[in-house]
């Protein structure tokens, strides 16, 4: 009789349903509990940091408006944690699925209504976790293979996975405590020991971490074999996300380039590059923190956004639409709320790390503001529309 006391008399006598099919001690409760705890912590970190990213840039307007400008690297840290933890969780997820998969053939499949709910929760957790990891991975490697928009699907998947996780933790709480309190069963038999198995799984997570963390730490960039972007690598020491196309390049390099300030202003502006260069210049050390996890800190120099807004006599609580030379694409413009628009570190940068901006970093003018997701650091800025 199995340990939970349910009779196995009606169990089908074939294939994986047969008693004793899964004989490895690694399918036991203790292994499941230990890996489950590590995986649960990793997923909670992913969920919390993912929600932070959501509310910073895609949530209801009031959360985006309330998103602070300090600490300047907060988003850099939360988004790095999100992607690095998600990547390192992959071996844990695979191991957990392997440890637990004999339960697929549990007999009877459903014992009572509570057990049915418990299994539904596990289904949501398994499907949601695999979906999150697969979509997240494809996204950071720029392989937009799925037919749905990534952020909304990944956001929905997060709630499904976490709903399943909450149900699963509720159902397994007692068993986990019991399994962890009992003295570890004596190691018998041949093959991989539990300790060996945990070391292999943990080691795989560690290898992934070491080969991706260089996407956020320049000193470790050479180890970043698995990272699509490396901190500190790229023109002017900064990676590039989206290079300038021919139309953008033509507009950016044209003598007719102007920075316009329009909308709700008392004196609209149209500034040439020389005029911008002759205004007071400020410097700021700020990161580009891509939503896809990589980041690099750099020294930017240019004109404070708020000085330009004051010059145009925009109101102090105005929200600004920052528009680029691009005609199309989701990143052609971004919204700058007062928190960031009035911040002394928010610049329309003309220089990066001591030289004129590279065309792929947004020449002639790009927005750089503290604690702002990279996707909103608009390049090739040609207009501030005051709303
Ligand atoms: C390999 C694992 C993962 C990777 C590589 C990954 C990657 C990403 C990326 C790149 C984003 C930014 C999306 C954007 O705004 O364009 C994101 C957002 C998010 N992630 Fe993940 N993720 C992973 C796992 C997870 C897991 C396990 C959860 C939760 C259980 C999760 C929850 C979220 C949430 C809630 C968001 C915010 C979505 C939104 O902006 O609406 N992610 N993730
Ligand atoms: N106009 C415009 N601005 C843009 C983008 C873009 O595609 N077009 N990409 C954004 C994204 S996703 C990031 S991460 C940063 C990257 O800036 P970098 O290429 O200078 O590192 O620019 C942002 N600004
Ligand atoms: Mo980005």
């Amino acid at each position: 009789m199995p340990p939970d006391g349910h009779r196995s008399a009606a169990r089908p006598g074939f294939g994986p349903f047969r008693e004793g099919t899964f004989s490895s001690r690694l399918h036991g409760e203790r292994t499941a509990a230990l890996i489950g705890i590590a995986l649960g912590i990793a997923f909670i970190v992913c969920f919390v940091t993912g929600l932070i990213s959501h509310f910073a840039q895609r949530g209801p307007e009031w959360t985006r408006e309330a998103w602070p400008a300090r600490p300047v690297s907060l988003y850099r840290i939360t988004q790095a944690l999100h992607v690095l933890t998600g990547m390192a969780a992959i071996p844990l997820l695979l191991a957990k699925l392997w440890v637990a998969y004999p339960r697929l053939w549990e007999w009877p499949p459903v014992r009572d209504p509570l057990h049915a709910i418990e299994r539904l929760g596990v289904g949501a957790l398994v499907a949601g976790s695999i979906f999150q990891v697969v979509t997240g991975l494809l996204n950071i490697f720029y392989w937009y293979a799925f037919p749905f928009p990534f952020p909304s699907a990944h956001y929905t998947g997060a709630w499904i996975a976490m709903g399943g996780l909450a149900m699963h933790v509720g159902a397994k709480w007692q068993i986990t405590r019991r399994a962890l309190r009992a003295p570890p069963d004596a190691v018998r038999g041949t093959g991989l020991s539990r300790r060996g198995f945990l070391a292999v799984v943990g080691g795989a997570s560690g290898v992934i971490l070491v080969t991706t963390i260089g996407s956020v730490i320049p000193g470790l960039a050479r180890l970043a074999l698995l990272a699509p972007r490396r901190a500190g690598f790229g023109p002017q020491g900064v990676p590039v996300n989206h290079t300038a196309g021919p139309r953008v390049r033509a507009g950016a390099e044209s003598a007719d380039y102007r920075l316009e300030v329009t909308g709700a202003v008392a004196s609209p502006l149209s500034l040439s590059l020389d005029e911008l260069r002759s205004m007071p210049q400020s410097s700021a050390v700020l990161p580009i923190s891509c939503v896809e996890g990589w980041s690099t800190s750099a020294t930017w120099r240019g004109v404070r956004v708020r000085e330009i807004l004051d010059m145009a006599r925009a109101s102090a609580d105005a929200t600004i639409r920052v528009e680029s030379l691009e005609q199309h694409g989701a990143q052609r413009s971004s919204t700058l709320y007062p928190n960031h628009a009035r911040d002394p570190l928010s610049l329309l940068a003309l220089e990066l790390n001591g030289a004129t901006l590279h065309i792929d970093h947004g020449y002639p003018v790009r927005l750089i503001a503290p604690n702002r997701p990279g996707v909103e650091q608009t390049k090739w800025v040609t207009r501030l529309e005051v709303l």
Side-chain angles (χ1 to χ4, degrees):
M1 215 156 50
D4 56 7
H6 291 274
R7 293 194 54 81
S8 56
R11 175 184 285 277
F14 59 90
F17 292 102
R18 272 193 310 254
E19 196 82 70
T21 305
F22 302 100
S23 55
S24 167
R25 61 188 165 214
L26 299 178
H27 292 304
E29 281 174 357
R30 198 175 171 89
T31 320
L34 288 169
I35 294 181
I37 288 170
L39 188 60
I41 292 171
F43 272 25
I44 289 168
V45 171
C46 276
F47 184 58
V48 171
T49 53
L51 287 186
I52 290 173
S53 177
H54 176 82
F55 290 116
Q57 43 133 5
R58 300 168 38 74
E61 182 161 48
W62 72 267
T63 67
R64 286 177 280 138
E65 197 167 354
W67 180 249
R70 303 296 153 82
V72 301
S73 295
L74 177 65
Y75 186 81
R76 180 181 193 191
I77 292 166
T78 60
Q79 199 57 12
L81 266 178
H82 183 82
V83 171
L84 294 175
T85 310
M87 296 273 286
I90 291 171
L92 300 176
L93 177 61
L94 295 175
K96 176 76 186 176
L97 292 173
W98 181 79
V99 168
Y101 90 98
R103 300 298 180 91
L104 275 175
W105 291 279
E106 201 176 353
W107 202 265
V110 176
R111 291 195 299 269
D112 51 54
L114 200 61
H115 185 228
I117 294 172
E118 184 195 320
R119 298 207 87 183
L120 267 179
V122 171
L125 176 57
V126 170
S129 305
I130 294 173
F131 184 81
Q132 289 305 92
V133 165
V134 170
T135 52
L137 263 184
L138 291 179
N139 187 264
I140 62 169
F141 286 101
Y142 308 100
W143 185 11
Y144 308 107
F146 25 80
F148 42 78
F150 168 79
S152 43
H154 194 76
Y155 182 67
T156 309
W159 284 102
I160 293 173
M162 295 312 284
L165 180 63
M167 290 165 74
H168 189 57
V169 169
K172 300 295 184 189
W173 192 253
Q174 294 298 342
I175 294 180
T176 303
R177 284 173 54 134
R178 193 180 69 208
L180 295 183
R181 278 187 183 167
D185 38 25
V187 179
R188 269 173 279 102
T190 55
L192 198 56
S193 67
R194 181 170 51 233
R195 205 168 271 181
F197 180 67
L198 295 177
V200 168
V201 174
S205 285
V207 167
I208 291 183
L209 198 62
V210 168
T211 50
T212 46
I213 199 164
S215 60
V216 298
I217 299 178
L220 299 176
R222 290 189 181 281
L223 295 177
L225 306 170
L226 289 180
R229 295 280 187 280
R230 303 173 182 200
F233 276 69
Q236 299 177 297
V238 177
V240 167
N241 220 17
H242 308 139
T243 52
R247 290 184 66 169
V248 165
R249 186 181 278 270
E253 291 171 349
S254 159
D256 295 335
Y257 168 84
R258 293 290 182 277
L259 175 73
E260 318 259 359
V261 184
T262 60
V265 291
S267 34
L269 305 175
S270 176
L271 302 167
S272 71
L273 192 50
D274 281 337
E275 286 173 305
L276 282 166
R277 284 183 180 137
S278 64
M279 290 178 66
Q281 307 287 302
S282 308
S283 291
V285 177
L286 295 173
I288 293 278
S289 316
C290 184
V291 290
E292 285 155 359
W294 63 266
S295 58
T296 290
S297 185
T299 304
W300 308 86
R301 198 170 158 76
V303 185
R304 285 190 174 135
V305 173
R306 76 170 185 203
E307 280 180 26
I308 292 185
L309 294 176
D310 288 345
M311 200 168 141
R313 291 195 281 143
S315 90
D317 58 358
T319 294
I320 320 295
R321 180 149 56 238
V322 183
E323 288 186 18
S324 76
L325 290 164
E326 282 177 299
Q327 309 287 316
H328 308 284
Q331 286 142 26
R332 61 170 298 279
S333 71
S334 66
T335 306
L336 196 62
Y337 292 100
N339 253 349
H340 288 87
R342 307 304 306 179
D343 193 286
L345 294 181
S346 295
L347 305 180
L348 286 168
L350 309 175
E351 288 181 18
L352 163 55
N353 288 337
T356 303
L357 273 179
H358 187 281
I359 183 81
D360 290 331
H361 286 308
Y363 174 87
V365 176
R366 75 99 44 89
L367 176 71
I368 186 83
N371 192 32
R372 193 163 160 87
V375 60
E376 299 178 326
Q377 307 279 34
T378 306
K379 306 196 269 195
W380 314 297
V381 174
T382 187
R383 181 190 303 273
L384 300 183
E385 197 192 339
V386 180
L387 305 176

